Amino acid sequence: MNVTSPLVVFDLDGTLIDTAPDLVASLNHTIAAAGLAPVGYEDLTFLVGNGAKMMIEKAFVLREKPLNAEDLPHLLERFITHYSASMPGESRPYPGLVDALERLKTSGFRLAVCTNKIESLAVTLIERLQLTHHFATITGGDTFPVRKPDARHLLGTVERAGADPRRTVMIGDSINDIMVARNAGVPSIAVPFGYSDVAVDSLGPNHVIGHFDELTPALVEGLLQRQAA
């Protein structure tokens, strides 16, 4: 495998893995310490996408309660401790994902993860779901000084994977994923089963797949060829 091998970069929460039950459980455990009412699955699209710290901050916004800055580190530690201890919990790969990863790798593609989740949490979750061997690199929201949708997060991931941005496709479920791809100049594939608060086709991805059975080497190569034309 060389630098000209196509690279497919995946978001994590809501794209690779359905993490909703465990994110909700850990967030509710965290905000209970501040006397906040629990959040529900219907709140996920507002809460998820920018890492644990932002989830906590948004939960306080949702519950219309001020958050003291000095309380945030303790709450973040509470979240990380609870979430780490329960992994993988009920989190599971989306249907067809593992077959898609194997299909791409068999065709010589390189794979990576680029998520705004804290890197240590992302790595642990992927390890415990026994998916680590599929990926050349896993980068999180604290891996670099920037995070999605800043192009440097995706481009840094591409570099760590030993790949070429001109041979890269980004797959995700949210505006951050579509925007980071656009900012980095790479084509994007959106999935509609994640945690976006709007229909993903309205975000302007290059392609939408409704199931990972649709993620084929031919689809990726076709997007790369159109991007290069």
Side-chain angles (χ1 to χ4, degrees), residues 186-217:
V186 308
S188 60
I189 297 173
V191 296
F193 42 72
Y195 310 139
S196 176
D197 57 352
V198 298
V200 290
D201 57 358
S202 71
L203 301 176
N206 295 91
H207 193 80
V208 178
I209 57 171
H211 192 284
F212 276 117
D213 286 352
E214 301 170 43
L215 181 57
T216 63

Side-chain angles (χ1 to χ4, degrees), residues 36-198:
L36 269 64
V39 301
Y41 295 117
E42 67 277 8
D43 303 313
L44 270 182
T45 58
F46 172 71
L47 295 165
V48 176
N50 287 289
K53 177 176 174 288
M54 188 65 75
M55 282 183 67
I56 295 166
E57 292 175 344
K58 286 186 172 182
F60 276 77
V61 172
L62 190 67
R63 293 294 176 249
E64 299 180 337
K65 182 172 180 177
L67 172 59
N68 295 325
E70 60 268 25
D71 293 334
L72 188 54
H74 167 72
L75 292 170
L76 182 59
E77 181 180 358
R78 182 178 172 90
F79 178 95
I80 292 171
T81 299
H82 185 273
Y83 190 65
S84 299
S86 63
M87 281 186 188
E90 297 179 43
S91 296
R92 296 292 183 270
Y94 281 102
L97 171 72
V98 173
D99 286 345
L101 298 180
E102 293 176 349
R103 185 162 57 241
L104 293 172
K105 288 198 74 174
T106 298
S107 296
F109 287 39
R110 210 170 296 199
L111 309 174
V113 174
C114 178
T115 174
N116 279 344
K117 199 185 200 78
I118 294 170
E119 181 185 328
S120 62
L121 296 180
V123 169
T124 300
L125 177 60
I126 291 168
E127 283 178 349
R128 293 186 182 176
L129 289 171
Q130 300 181 356
L131 297 173
T132 307
H133 63 283
H134 290 291
F135 302 107
T137 192
I138 299 167
T139 67
D142 57 341
T143 304
F144 306 108
V146 296
R147 58 170 56 191
K148 296 182 298 184
D150 191 304
R152 291 171 291 175
H153 190 176
L154 177 54
L155 293 174
T157 303
V158 174
E159 182 178 4
R160 286 193 175 204
D164 184 341
R166 295 169 297 181
R167 298 282 290 156
T168 297
V169 170
M170 176 75 203
I171 302 181
D173 69 309
S174 75
I175 184 63
N176 281 339
D177 304 311
I178 307 308
M179 286 302 301
V180 76
R182 189 172 302 150
N183 293 339
V186 308
S188 60
I189 297 173
V191 296
F193 42 72
Y195 310 139
S196 176
D197 57 352
V198 298

Side-chain angles (χ1 to χ4, degrees), residues 19-39:
T19 52
D22 302 298
L23 290 175
V24 168
S26 292
L27 183 59
N28 283 334
H29 171 79
T30 300
I31 64 177
L36 269 64
V39 301

